[in-house]
Amino acid sequence: MSSSYSISDLARELDITTRAIRFYEEQGMLTPERRGQERVYSPKDKVTLKLILRGKRIGFSLAECKELIELYDPESGNRKQLETFMHKIAERRAQLEQQLLDIQQMQLELDTAEERCLAALEATESQQA
């Protein structure tokens, strides 16, 4: 495993843009060293970036990702981080369940609207005939 990465190495390896990496750096989530104009990322930066990407995939906001990353404390066995993560997972799951119910309700309303439109079209056609 490499002990450092360039921005292009990380971008290629994690399939993201260098612009995205610079954005996370601007947000204070990554702290690369500088060698002149070149950014040099550590293995810790790579892990942080993986955590950010995973968090985004499961629907966490950038602020939530940042909060979880900042809670990292290997001396405590990461208990606080894990408990917070579990709480956020439960919240996200509840949001998704509500969204699913909302979608199902919308589908029922679309079905009703479609049936009414079809009935109105049939009525119009029979009046014209």
Side-chain angles (χ1 to χ4, degrees):
M1 181 159 111
S2 177
S3 60
S4 66
Y5 305 88
S6 71
I7 194 168
S8 57
D9 291 339
L10 281 180
R12 186 175 39 259
E13 196 169 324
L14 300 175
D15 196 27
I16 59 174
T17 64
T18 56
R19 184 175 181 175
I21 295 171
R22 285 190 296 274
F23 173 77
Y24 298 132
E25 184 181 340
E26 289 167 10
Q27 299 302 306
M29 298 178 78
L30 299 173
T31 54
E33 292 180 29
R34 294 283 186 157
R35 289 190 194 138
Q37 293 292 334
E38 184 183 9
R39 293 170 168 90
V40 180
Y41 295 88
S42 68
K44 180 181 184 245
D45 290 319
K46 181 180 174 183
V47 169
T48 299
L49 195 48
K50 284 181 172 182
L51 291 172
I52 293 167
L53 297 173
R54 183 177 302 141
K56 285 182 60 185
R57 273 195 311 273
I58 60 176
F60 289 169
S61 69
L62 200 52
E64 288 172 315
C65 292
K66 188 173 185 176
E67 176 188 356
L68 287 167
I69 290 165
E70 288 173 350
L71 287 172
Y72 178 73
D73 180 14
E75 292 185 16
S76 71
N78 296 315
R79 184 169 185 82
K80 180 71 173 161
Q81 183 190 42
L82 293 169
E83 287 171 347
T84 303
F85 190 35
M86 289 295 292
H87 178 72
K88 290 192 178 301
I89 287 171
E91 285 179 344
R92 184 66 182 136
R93 190 178 306 276
Q95 288 172 345
L96 289 171
E97 288 170 359
Q98 184 59 54
Q99 286 177 330
L100 184 57
L101 291 173
D102 292 344
I103 288 169
Q104 291 169 339
Q105 183 61 41
M106 269 192 258
Q107 287 176 322
L108 289 173
E109 290 176 20
L110 287 170
D111 289 345
T112 301
E114 183 179 42
E115 288 171 12
R116 288 181 180 163
C117 285
L118 286 172
L121 282 171
E122 288 175 9
T124 320
E125 287 174 3
S126 63
Q127 287 176 355
Q128 291 176 351

